[in-house]
Amino acid sequence: MQSYSIKTLLEKGKEVALQEVSIHGWVRSFRSNRFIALNDGSCLKTIQVVVDFDKFDEELIQQITTAASLQVVGEVVESQGKGQEIEIVAKDIKVLGVAASEEVQGTILQPKAHSLEKLREQAHLRFRTNLFGAVMRVRNALMFAIHQYFNELDFVYINTPIITGSDAEGAGEMFHVTNFDLDNLPRTEDGKVDYSQDFFGKATNLTVSGQLEGEAAAMGLGKIYTFGPTFRAENSNTSRHLAEFWMIEPEMAFYNLDQNMDLAEDFLKYVIQYAKDKCPDDLAFLAERYAKEQSQKPADERSELGLMDRLDYVLNNRFIRLSYTEAIDILKNSKPNKKGKFKYPVDGWGVDLQSEHERYLVEKHFKTPVILFDYPQEIKAFYMRLNEDGKTVRAMDVLFPGIGEIIGGSQREERLDVLDERIKQFGIDQEEIWWYRDTRRFGTVPHSGFGLGLERLVLFVTGMGNIRDVIPFPRTPNNAEF
Ligand code: ATP
Ligand code: MN
């Protein structure tokens, strides 16, 4: 007898009619002591199991409650009812794990609407819900597509360290890694913590980016990408920041900034298209949720596009490419700026752009994704390539509707003398990153790369509003429960 996932079984449909099959899953509902809706996480849908209760023990029937886990053996038949092509007439039912109704009552497993906050509080159970199931399957499809995309283009997947000895990455506040007894720290003569006695013989941190090591790899392998966890002690508590998130960082030797932008755009379109092709049911479900959520918002905050339209608008439009200087002009003269509607007014060249500005450009002004480039050197990292004007660097940020920055990248400074000047300006110790400087000493080449935050991408594709709802177990300030 063949064992199937519910997804495969439903895909086969009538092809398997009259066969005896075995399936496993969790009870979503048991209607009229006759119809079990069974889900196994392989897809959004449930399969209907028809139970002739005369043929089963009363005791067994009573154990078939919401959330219980079952193995069902039965015959596939064409369904009499609406809404499904096939169903299973049960011959044998094994209750693998019971779920006491009184206990299920207090949890998100109870089949009714629950708030996203409540789902987060029971993050260990939310994999069972339609919503979180759909988000996780889309996330999975995106991750797979990311690997496939780079693999097709002959990028080498490399792993950069999670524990880093350099604090020059400069992308955010870092978490310390130590095996010191914190109640009894070794001190140097002048009273500072003596890191020479720590595990690695120096102070170490969790990485905020694999880029610097990625650059070293690209200087031999040509085109590489990393895909791993990154950690930032951001105390910002926004709906777009996590303390632990997954980042994809391609780095390409012999690429200039234009090629970098081309790659970023092509890459985003590829993975979004893949998710659309692979997860039509999950996305349809998420689109419905998105529409409902939007309809409850005040008119001026409401998105003009539905979820699927928003995906298509990214797929079908060329991303606008705009210099920072041009963006500042647009923002300075924009209605919200003149009317004092921005929380951070745009008063001149040199200011850092906030998410409200990024979203204005994308959602109101251009109504298409935007790639901003050539930012003032003061507001960007030391490794970005200095332009001829001596004021701007070859940075690029890809801005998306509803999200703001989804990708940050740059062409890197490959000229050692210029790099050293920047290292000095930023007050970084040359010795600390001697190995990074070495990559410019032995056959340096123009090169570029970028970082995509996986969860920002998942936010965009699923239409979810809070980044905590697109990662299995979110890490944010005051929250590391699971
Ligand atoms: P932001 O200005 O939004 O904080 P950033 O400039 O700090 O972003 P980068 O250092 O360029 O971001 O990191 C590259 C990408 O990583 C960003 O474009 C974003 O997609 C993602 N990212 C950055 N910080 C976080 C975070 N705390 N949580 C989730 N994703 C993040
Ligand atoms: Mn940041």
Side-chain angles (χ1 to χ4, degrees):
M1 183 195 6
Q2 185 80 32
S3 178
Y4 286 107
S5 74
I6 291 172
K7 172 171 183 273
T8 308
L9 198 61
L10 291 173
E11 276 167 4
K12 289 196 177 288
K14 286 179 191 162
E15 201 187 304
V16 280
L18 305 181
Q19 283 184 26
E20 193 169 281
V21 300
S22 161
I23 57 169
H24 299 83
W26 292 273
V27 177
R28 283 292 174 80
S29 65
F30 188 24
R31 198 158 46 82
S32 321
N33 268 4
R34 189 161 166 77
F35 302 108
I36 305 172
L38 202 68
N39 180 276
D40 66 356
S42 61
C43 61
L44 185 73
K45 292 192 178 108
T46 55
I47 192 156
Q48 176 155 288
V49 177
V50 183
V51 183
D52 186 348
F53 55 78
D54 290 341
K55 297 203 182 118
F56 294 89
D57 279 355
E58 176 63 27
E59 205 179 324
L60 181 98
I61 295 283
Q62 278 182 1
Q63 286 184 343
I64 303 174
T65 55
T66 295
S69 50
L70 309 180
Q71 182 192 6
V72 175
V73 173
E75 189 185 28
V76 178
V77 298
E78 287 190 35
S79 179
Q80 308 290 310
K82 280 203 206 109
Q84 65 267 328
E85 194 186 3
I86 54 167
E87 59 195 23
I88 293 178
V89 177
K91 282 201 174 138
D92 183 37
I93 299 176
K94 260 200 202 79
V95 177
L96 302 175
V98 295
S101 299
E102 322 80 72
E103 286 174 41
V104 168
Q105 290 273 314
T107 71
I108 56 170
L109 298 177
Q110 201 191 0
K112 62 166 211 184
H114 301 284
S115 71
L116 293 170
E117 288 77 14
K118 195 157 175 202
L119 254 55
R120 259 173 248 150
E121 284 163 17
Q122 300 177 33
H124 59 306
L125 299 179
R126 65 180 175 168
F127 298 98
R128 260 332 154 83
T129 63
N130 278 338
L131 178 59
F132 204 67
V135 170
M136 285 300 110
R137 284 184 296 269
V138 171
R139 181 184 164 107
N140 170 63
L142 287 167
M143 289 194 284
F144 183 81
I146 288 163
H147 284 298
Q148 182 162 286
Y149 178 81
F150 287 122
N151 191 258
E152 281 173 4
L153 293 179
D154 289 332
F155 278 65
V156 179
Y157 173 39
I158 65 146
N159 306 108
T160 48
I162 288 169
I163 300 173
T164 173
S166 96
D167 57 5
E169 289 165 356
E173 289 298 307
M174 300 178 103
F175 290 102
H176 299 299
V177 174
T178 179
N179 73 339
F180 276 154
D181 170 2
L182 296 182
D183 290 323
N184 191 11
L185 291 169
R187 304 271 173 187
T188 57
E189 273 167 19
D190 51 0
K192 296 224 168 85
V193 174
D194 184 5
Y195 286 106
S196 69
Q197 294 187 47
D198 203 350
F199 189 88
F200 296 104
K202 62 185 294 196
T204 49
N205 295 302
L206 289 177
T207 184
V208 292
S209 157
Q211 183 200 315
L212 302 188
E213 291 90 349
E215 282 186 56
M219 289 303 110
L221 292 165
K223 293 188 296 185
I224 64 95
Y225 71 105
T226 72
F227 189 165
T230 41
F231 308 86
R232 297 184 185 181
E234 321 226 40
N235 215 341
S236 48
N237 250 320
T238 75
S239 57
R240 295 180 331 280
H241 288 91
L242 291 161
E244 177 181 289
F245 65 100
W246 289 71
M247 184 139 71
I248 297 95
E249 295 178 278
E251 190 69 38
M252 299 76 66
F254 317 110
Y255 268 48
N256 63 27
L257 190 70
D258 287 321
Q259 293 166 303
N260 200 19
M261 292 196 253
D262 290 343
L263 183 80
E265 179 170 347
D266 188 55
F267 165 62
L268 285 168
K269 287 177 171 170
Y270 179 98
V271 298
I272 293 170
Q273 183 66 53
Y274 183 92
K276 260 191 78 179
D277 294 342
K278 198 75 184 174
C279 308
D281 290 353
D282 290 318
L283 286 174
F285 175 82
L286 290 163
E288 210 172 292
R289 189 209 74 91
Y290 182 76
K292 210 185 273 167
E293 188 187 66
Q294 292 297 319
S295 72
Q296 287 157 2
K297 285 189 172 175
D300 60 331
E301 285 173 34
R302 211 172 288 160
S303 159
E304 289 163 28
L305 296 175
L307 181 62
M308 298 313 268
D309 294 335
R310 222 170 61 149
L311 300 185
D312 285 337
Y313 132 132
V314 166
L315 293 174
N316 301 332
N317 281 300
R318 190 161 186 267
F319 298 3
I320 296 270
R321 298 179 189 188
L322 187 77
S323 73
Y324 166 89
T325 304
E326 292 169 287
I328 287 291
D329 274 343
I330 293 172
L331 289 167
K332 237 174 29 192
N333 297 315
S334 68
K335 249 196 223 156
N337 197 51
K338 288 185 165 160
K339 288 188 170 168
K341 288 267 167 69
F342 284 141
K343 197 168 153 214
Y344 299 90
V346 179
D347 47 16
W349 196 90
V351 296
D352 204 356
L353 297 183
Q354 305 294 328
S355 153
E356 57 177 348
H357 308 135
E358 297 172 342
R359 292 185 56 179
Y360 172 81
L361 291 170
V362 174
E363 290 162 32
K364 299 281 189 282
H365 190 84
F366 289 109
K367 296 186 188 286
T368 170
V370 173
I371 310 183
L372 286 188
F373 60 91
D374 286 354
Y375 283 74
Q377 56 157 322
E378 290 82 8
I379 60 172
K380 288 291 181 185
F382 76 95
Y383 48 73
M384 298 189 181
R385 192 177 201 277
L386 191 64
N387 279 311
E388 300 287 295
D389 63 12
K391 294 197 310 190
T392 59
V393 286
R394 301 245 76 190
M396 65 163 205
D397 280 4
V398 182
L399 314 179
F400 260 31
I403 307 284
E405 178 185 334
I406 191 161
I407 279 181
S410 66
Q411 183 171 336
R412 321 304 189 189
E413 185 54 77
E414 84 283 11
R415 300 162 296 185
L416 185 60
D417 53 336
V418 186
L419 183 69
D420 277 344
E421 200 47 49
R422 303 260 300 152
I423 287 175
K424 208 157 57 186
Q425 269 174 32
F426 275 75
I428 299 166
D429 184 1
Q430 268 200 12
E431 297 283 291
E432 273 278 316
I433 48 168
W434 63 272
W435 60 269
Y436 185 72
R437 293 182 65 253
D438 260 9
T439 59
R440 272 66 170 170
R441 291 178 59 218
F442 308 105
T444 190
V445 300
H447 62 289
S448 298
F450 60 79
L452 165 72
L454 175 69
E455 287 76 18
R456 298 245 177 121
L457 175 67
V458 182
L459 266 185
F460 177 73
V461 176
T462 59
M464 298 299 287
N466 192 317
I467 200 161
R468 295 167 176 80
D469 299 324
V470 299
I471 186 165
F473 297 103
R475 295 286 172 264
T476 51
N478 296 315
N479 175 32
E481 179 65 23
F482 302 92

